[in-house]
Amino acid sequence: MSELSSRPADETIAIEGLSERAEIIVDRWGIPHIRAGNQADLFFAQGFNAARDRLWQIDLWRKRGLGLLARDFGPGYLAQDEASRAFLFRGDMAREWPSYAPDAQAIVRSFVAGINAYVALTEREPERLPVEFGLAGTRPDRWQPEDVVRIRSHALTRNALSEVLRASIVSAYGHETDLLRKNLEPAVVPGNAGDVDLAAIPVEILDLFKLATAGVTFSPERLACRLEEAGKWTKVNALAEVIADSTWTGSNNWAIGPDLTATGRPVMAGDPHRAHAVPSLRYLVHLSAPGLDVIGAGEPAVPGISMGHNGTIAFTQTIFGSDQEDVYVYETEPGNPDRYRYKGDWMSMTVVEERFAVKGAPDQVRRLRFTRHGPVVSADPDKRIAFAIRSVWFEPGAAAYLGGLSSMRAKTLPEFRDAIRRFATPSLNHVYADVKGAIAWLPFGMTPVRRNWDGLTPVPGDGRFEWDGFIDLDEMPCLVNPPAGFVASANEANVPATWDHEKVRIGYEWLENSRAVRIAEALGHRPAGEKHSVATSMALQTDVTSVPARRLRVLVEAIAPGADAELAAARAMLLSWDEKLDAGSAAGALSELWFTRHLKPALLALFVPDQRLQPLMQPLDVEGLLQVLERPGEAFGPNPAAGRDALIARTLAGAWREALSLLGPDPAAWQWGRLHHGQFDHPLSAIAGPDDAARLNVGPLAKGGSASTVMHAAYRPQDFRVVVGASVRFVLDVGNWDASYCINAPGQSGDPRSPHYRDLSVQWAKGEYVPFLYSREAVDGAAEQRIRLVPAPGA
């Protein structure tokens, strides 16, 4: 692979589509600062720059979302294309565009024109084309504006997956056992309002849904697949991986009011957690034109930003646990599986014939079926049953994060509040701060109103269980300048304790609260005389205190080791530990080995002895697990406390033995980071040669933390590889913007030849940051490369 860095630092490019000159200034950390004379040219330049830095990524995102993979990669991708098209937005575009902003269509049109301009440039100058296209033997496509908004299957929603898993577990082992899989807050026993036979709902009905939301994978076998073998690629991601991703995907954010900071200005922090990938899911960018000057993070295939600041207000988000999906079960007509019972009559499904181009094979036509609720994901004509998923994805205005086109331009809290009415997906904890010192928490997203069921299990699609509109922002909780002096969220159940869940039912499935507990401790309990700062917020974002380890310590301390030397040694190590999962911690390595590879499997075997159902429980809900240990029940035997203690003792001694095997005979030399590591593998590395794979992949990098620490670093148990965590982190000094900091991992660029492809990875692993500059003077002083865009002659 040649190096892009050999190109001159400054260049001028003539392109069609611009009305005036524009400029892209790339700073030393790979962050582009884009300046234009008007906003149409600004968004054009943003699209051009997104393609310049991330063309392979956004091209693959578009082809996956629109169901165009088989055309480029062959029959092994036909099933995935079919699944993707089942979940496209097919609604009214006249209602769709103004949902995000009055000028959303014009902005997106400019943005995709910029992408297309860069694609055209690669045709004139092939050396600019990212190396992945050569490895894969493909070319980038031109975009249409509608492509940006029709793709919905990357947006984070919930809880169709959990409804089906709950049906299997509850029907086999009951509600209490299912809480080990997914704890419910507030505590509620799931209903079955439609009297559905939960045991008759197979987990296989999730296959199409899983495939529609899967990333794109490559292997020699899949690329060599023949058309007659295409059906074998209906499962490209393990169910356990999908469950784990939904369990761990979250974020942290907070805003600290001026009374608690050393400067008297607010401090805002945000770090969204998603599956680790190279290139990163997020992209940092600065957009400046008359009337607009915003900097922050977004997804590279979407114009604007969704989190950051505009010089007056700062804003960031975490996932808020609204229930935005439902699984419907239908009785189909005898002899006609394309009709289903609805309100006492038979209603015809909508049947759409989709044509798929397939590399090396004739075009294929597939029938997609839709009920009034959504795509049919599974059916059994012999049993006269069908299943469909209803999601807010299919509502106008539900393209992920595009509501940022409005919120990024707000200048006051009332304007910001009005803007987030346009944020349908994901449902988010919006956190706000401004230069006048105001801070606020405003959760919102498109949340269906369910009048007669709780949304926790599948319901009949016969007309008795229908959404009755959506919860209005004015019905949602909020906090403005609270007495505590800060607002924060970490995907926990954070609606007020007095909330009437029957009147306004938001959802019952949240992430466990360990991160939220630790954030509240750190923000609410500073030592006397100490104030918060950008530095303390950076330290908190990279904090590795394990709240679960703290709770487990109480149980370990109560156990008498007796004559068991291994148990005694393990117990002594954990009791002398500060519960911090630093990369160099020996006790941290033991604690996570025990928790993940010994304690969890032992509890799973105890509560769910059926090995066929055990994968549905993974990775276990941390809060549910801790509660069954802290309040042991009859599952542990006639003396529950003694049974629990015996299980703890047995598994802890087993973890000690495994640590000796994995980390060596000297416990003092054990280190958590020798096991727990970050690794960013490029999708194409599986088919690249070893030299190219080494250039495409980034890592391994020793890493502290876990899924339960503020520095979120969720890992898969088989090899301790971090799979979900913060890629982007930023801390903003509200009002003194050049004193802000950020990081994006493994780097800003998606081009493996770029010096900014992996340059931030080591700092990310160490919990370090780089400057996040905003003022023209500071940006110019840190400029590494200037790319001047000028209108093509005669254009």
Side-chain angles (χ1 to χ4, degrees):
M1 290 181 192
S2 61
E3 295 294 329
L4 280 182
S5 54
S6 62
R7 184 177 298 149
D10 294 351
E11 62 175 331
T12 299
I13 305 173
I15 50 176
E16 294 184 1
L18 278 177
S19 63
E20 301 179 36
R21 289 174 175 261
E23 186 175 34
I24 302 168
I25 300 171
V26 182
D27 68 25
R28 294 198 298 270
W29 307 282
I31 300 170
H33 304 263
I34 305 173
R35 299 168 182 169
N38 60 76
Q39 292 188 24
D41 283 349
L42 178 66
F43 290 111
F44 179 100
Q46 185 188 10
F48 182 92
N49 179 74
R52 179 192 68 84
D53 237 0
R54 299 287 189 96
L55 183 57
W56 166 260
Q57 180 189 32
I58 64 174
D59 183 72
L60 194 64
W61 176 87
R62 175 185 171 277
K63 289 170 179 172
R64 183 207 67 82
L66 294 179
L68 300 172
L69 295 171
R71 185 200 63 193
D72 278 10
F73 305 116
Y77 296 83
L78 180 58
Q80 188 166 2
D81 282 349
E82 182 178 352
S84 294
R85 293 202 196 173
F87 286 90
L88 282 173
F89 176 67
R90 297 171 182 270
D92 183 358
M93 293 302 296
R95 292 178 57 201
E96 170 73 4
W97 287 116
S99 299
Y100 308 107
D103 54 353
Q105 186 174 11
I107 289 173
V108 175
R109 186 182 295 120
S110 294
F111 180 77
V112 301
I115 294 174
N116 292 340
Y118 191 83
V119 172
L121 181 63
T122 67
E123 293 168 353
R124 297 193 302 272
E125 302 177 21
E127 69 275 11
R128 294 184 185 270
L129 195 66
V131 296
E132 291 97 330
F133 290 100
L135 289 171
T138 62
R139 291 284 313 174
D141 281 350
R142 300 292 207 281
W143 291 50
Q144 295 295 323
E146 291 76 15
D147 298 344
V148 174
V149 297
R150 291 190 66 216
I151 299 170
R152 302 288 167 92
S153 51
H154 65 298
L156 299 174
T157 52
R158 66 209 63 78
N159 65 343
L161 175 69
S162 191
E163 287 186 27
V164 176
L165 299 177
R166 180 171 292 109
S168 293
I169 300 302
V170 168
S171 60
Y173 292 107
H175 156 66
E176 294 293 335
T177 294
D178 188 60
L179 295 178
L180 262 178
R181 180 194 62 82
K182 191 63 181 177
N183 193 49
L184 299 178
E185 300 176 78
V188 62
V189 177
N192 185 3
D195 199 26
V196 171
D197 182 0
L198 299 182
I201 299 178
V203 295
E204 288 74 20
I205 72 169
L206 293 169
D207 286 351
L208 190 77
F209 181 64
K210 287 196 302 140
L211 199 54
T213 56
V216 185
T217 60
F218 296 93
S219 68
E221 296 78 13
R222 192 176 186 188
L223 290 170
C225 174
R226 299 190 303 272
L227 184 60
E228 59 270 22
E229 302 170 328
K232 67 185 285 188
W233 294 101
T234 58
K235 296 183 180 182
V236 299
N237 48 352
L239 180 60
E241 293 177 4
V242 178
I243 299 169
D245 184 69
S246 68
T247 300
W248 292 330
T249 293
S251 308
N252 306 314
N253 65 8
W254 57 86
I256 308 169
D259 291 344
L260 299 185
T261 67
T263 63
R265 295 186 298 270
V267 171
M268 172 171 281
D271 58 304
H273 309 153
R274 295 290 294 273
H276 280 321
V278 56
S280 168
L281 173 69
R282 309 288 185 186
Y283 190 66
L284 296 164
V285 66
H286 183 183
L287 306 172
S288 183
L292 182 66
D293 194 6
V294 300
I295 186 171
E299 297 191 1
V302 177
I305 61 170
S306 60
M307 59 193 86
H309 74 83
N310 62 19
T312 302
I313 73 166
F315 43 95
T316 185
Q317 308 130 359
T318 69
I319 295 298
F320 179 72
S322 294
D323 183 351
Q324 297 182 301
E325 296 169 342
D326 280 303
V327 177
Y328 283 91
V329 186
Y330 304 89
E331 174 192 354
T332 56
E333 186 178 28
N336 190 349
D338 290 345
R339 287 166 63 83
Y340 61 99
R341 188 179 296 281
Y342 185 78
K343 291 189 175 180
D345 203 353
W346 297 109
M347 177 174 284
S348 295
M349 297 176 184
T350 299
V351 179
V352 177
E353 290 193 344
E354 289 277 351
R355 181 173 295 274
F356 299 85
V358 182
K359 181 181 179 182
D363 286 2
Q364 300 294 302
V365 175
R366 296 288 187 271
R367 295 173 78 247
L368 302 181
R369 297 187 298 164
F370 300 84
T371 70
R372 69 188 316 276
H373 300 115
V376 175
V377 295
S378 182
D380 187 334
D382 293 334
K383 295 181 178 179
R384 293 178 49 219
I385 192 169
F387 303 89
I389 290 177
R390 184 170 188 183
S391 172
V392 298
W393 284 346
F394 310 128
E395 301 294 325
Y401 298 107
L402 208 58
L405 294 179
S406 288
S407 60
M408 73 178 187
R409 292 184 280 185
K411 290 299 183 77
T412 66
L413 181 56
E415 289 179 7
F416 183 77
R417 182 179 174 85
D418 284 343
I420 66 170
R421 293 180 187 275
R422 300 176 181 273
F423 252 104
T425 66
S427 51
L428 297 167
N429 291 284
H430 295 271
V431 166
Y432 168 98
D434 65 34
V435 294
K436 293 183 178 180
I439 61 172
W441 165 71
L442 305 97
F444 189 64
M446 190 175 280
T447 306
V449 175
R450 300 173 179 86
R451 298 292 184 192
N452 57 334
W453 85 104
D454 57 25
L456 290 170
T457 55
V459 290
D462 58 11
R464 291 179 290 154
F465 303 94
E466 297 294 336
W467 294 358
D468 187 16
F470 301 94
I471 299 173
D472 189 83
L473 177 63
D474 294 335
E475 299 179 80
M476 297 292 288
C478 70
L479 287 173
V480 177
N481 299 324
F486 67 90
V487 292
S489 71
N491 319 115
E492 79 281 16
N494 58 353
V495 295
T498 57
W499 193 256
D500 187 343
H501 291 273
E502 288 301 312
K503 181 180 179 182
V504 182
R505 185 182 286 118
I506 295 170
Y508 298 94
E509 298 190 345
W510 313 80
L511 299 196
E512 55 103 359
N513 69 357
S514 298
R515 288 180 288 114
V517 167
R518 177 59 184 153
I519 291 168
E521 284 178 355
L523 296 183
H525 301 92
R526 297 297 296 169
E530 287 193 17
K531 293 275 192 172
H532 289 285
S533 65
V534 167
T536 62
S537 278
M538 289 192 292
L540 181 54
Q541 280 189 333
T542 55
D543 185 276
V544 290
T545 302
S546 173
V547 171
R550 183 191 300 170
R551 291 170 66 176
L552 288 168
R553 176 193 178 95
V554 176
L555 303 178
V556 171
E557 194 168 16
I559 295 173
D564 189 330
E566 293 170 332
L567 175 60
R571 179 179 180 274
M573 178 176 278
L574 293 185
L575 295 183
S576 63
W577 176 45
D578 60 3
E579 290 95 35
K580 293 186 183 298
L581 290 170
D582 295 302
S585 172
L590 174 65
S591 177
E592 289 299 304
L593 262 176
W594 172 45
F595 187 70
T596 302
R597 305 228 315 205
H598 294 267
L599 185 58
K600 279 186 175 183
L603 288 170
L604 188 57
L606 180 66
F607 282 86
V608 184
D610 187 341
Q611 294 185 1
R612 295 171 302 172
L613 293 179
Q614 288 179 2
L616 309 188
M617 298 286 292
Q618 299 284 8
L620 294 186
D621 186 278
V622 170
E623 183 61 30
L625 180 155
L626 292 171
Q627 287 188 17
V628 301
L629 290 172
E630 291 168 342
R631 298 192 291 273
E634 60 183 17
F636 289 98
N639 185 336
R644 174 205 59 197
D645 291 350
L647 182 145
I648 288 175
R650 182 179 74 254
T651 56
L652 185 53
W656 179 267
R657 290 190 294 273
E658 186 177 18
L660 289 169
S661 173
L662 291 175
L663 296 170
D666 180 9
W670 295 350
Q671 294 185 358
W672 176 221
R674 286 175 56 194
L675 297 175
H676 190 240
H677 65 284
Q679 174 76 30
F680 300 85
D681 281 350
H682 193 288
L684 285 179
S685 64
I687 62 169
D691 291 341
D692 282 342
R695 295 183 181 98
L696 291 169
N697 297 337
V698 181
L701 300 157
K703 184 74 174 169
S706 74
S708 297
T709 59
V710 178
M711 188 174 79
H712 189 70
Y715 59 92
R716 57 191 191 193
Q718 63 267 35
D719 61 0
F720 303 98
R721 174 175 165 173
V722 178
V723 292
V724 176
S727 54
V728 163
R729 291 194 296 262
F730 59 85
V731 178
L732 305 177
D733 187 332
V734 178
N736 183 22
W737 303 109
D738 288 337
S740 304
Y741 289 86
C742 67
I743 198 74
N744 193 10
Q748 274 281 98
S749 179
D751 192 322
R753 301 166 298 176
S754 169
H756 298 299
Y757 181 73
R758 63 178 73 234
D759 59 322
L760 302 181
S761 59
V762 173
Q763 290 158 297
W764 165 82
K766 292 180 177 180
E768 297 173 351
Y769 293 75
V770 301
F772 200 23
L773 303 178
Y774 181 65
S775 71
R776 182 174 289 262
E777 296 76 17
V779 169
D780 287 343
E784 178 184 80
Q785 181 184 25
R786 291 178 181 270
I787 304 169
R788 298 177 180 88
L789 307 180
V790 299

